[in-house]
Amino acid sequence: MEMLSAEHVEKIWGEAAGFSPQQAEREMIKMSKSQPDLLAFLMSMSDGLSTDARELAICIGFVVYKMFANARSTIPNISSEEIMDNYKENLFLLEDLKGSRVKIIDSIIKTQSSDQPHVMKYVIEALTEDTEGDDIKLTAKDTASLFILLKTVIEVLDEKG
């Protein structure tokens, strides 16, 4: 798929942030109908993480999906096999990310060579920015796990685009 522009990524990010709870629910239902295996992957693979990390995985994964969905009229269905094959490849990266939060962030930044750098930048910022008053606390393990999950989502959506 063509690289999504920084403007497109920021536009969708802003729109999703402004969704009412009812609109967010309607959009999640659309995602569940369009890409059921992708949503199931996010939910099941984040199941062992903290509540904050799980909610963040689904939220960021949804926004990433919207970025790709709004750039195309349709995205062919992504099978669970395709998702898991990509995820297994990315697990090797997780081994390299073990260690301190600084090491994780440095390793993540090195992956900026993604085919979708603007989407990857959004994910990295969402996982690493410290917002005052933000009650979300992620461990280094949570951050690494979320990165691998979301990297997988980006790659499979990009491949199908």
Side-chain angles (χ1 to χ4, degrees):
M1 175 174 198
E2 271 184 36
M3 179 175 48
L4 301 179
S5 71
E7 294 79 18
H8 176 77
V9 168
E10 289 178 27
K11 176 182 176 240
I12 301 303
W13 185 357
E15 286 175 3
F19 283 170
S20 69
Q22 297 82 9
Q23 187 177 6
E25 184 177 344
R26 283 192 305 271
E27 293 295 326
M28 286 295 286
I29 290 170
K30 286 182 190 177
M31 181 183 180
S32 73
K33 289 179 181 177
S34 172
Q35 295 297 334
D37 290 343
L38 190 60
L39 184 57
F41 167 77
L42 280 167
M43 295 176 80
S44 67
M45 298 307 283
S46 63
D47 196 34
L49 301 175
S50 69
T51 302
D52 284 346
R54 181 182 169 95
E55 289 173 2
L56 198 57
I58 294 166
C59 178
I60 296 172
F62 165 74
V63 175
V64 167
Y65 162 77
K66 289 294 292 176
M67 289 173 183
F68 284 91
N70 285 13
R72 291 202 46 134
S73 56
T74 60
I75 299 171
N77 187 47
I78 303 168
S79 72
S80 58
E81 292 81 17
E82 291 170 298
I83 297 166
M84 289 309 294
D85 287 347
N86 188 290
Y87 178 71
K88 288 173 187 172
E89 289 176 24
N90 284 325
L91 282 177
F92 292 112
L93 177 62
L94 185 60
E95 289 302 313
D96 293 336
L97 296 179
K98 286 186 176 175
S100 71
R101 187 171 173 90
V102 171
K103 183 177 178 185
I104 291 168
I105 293 168
D106 287 343
S107 297
I108 289 170
I109 290 169
K110 290 176 186 171
T111 66
Q112 277 293 114
S113 61
S114 165
D115 290 341
Q116 294 294 343
H118 305 296
V119 181
M120 189 64 72
K121 181 179 182 229
Y122 159 74
V123 167
I124 291 168
E125 287 175 1
L127 291 177
T128 61
E129 73 181 359
D130 289 326
T131 306
E132 278 190 39
D134 192 357
D135 292 334
I136 296 176
K137 303 294 183 223
L138 297 177
T139 65
K141 180 183 177 195
D142 284 345
T143 302
S145 295
L146 288 175
F147 177 72
I148 296 302
L149 289 175
L150 296 166
K151 181 178 184 300
T152 300
V153 170
I154 292 168
E155 290 172 351
V156 296
L157 285 167
D158 186 51
E159 288 169 14
K160 281 295 186 169

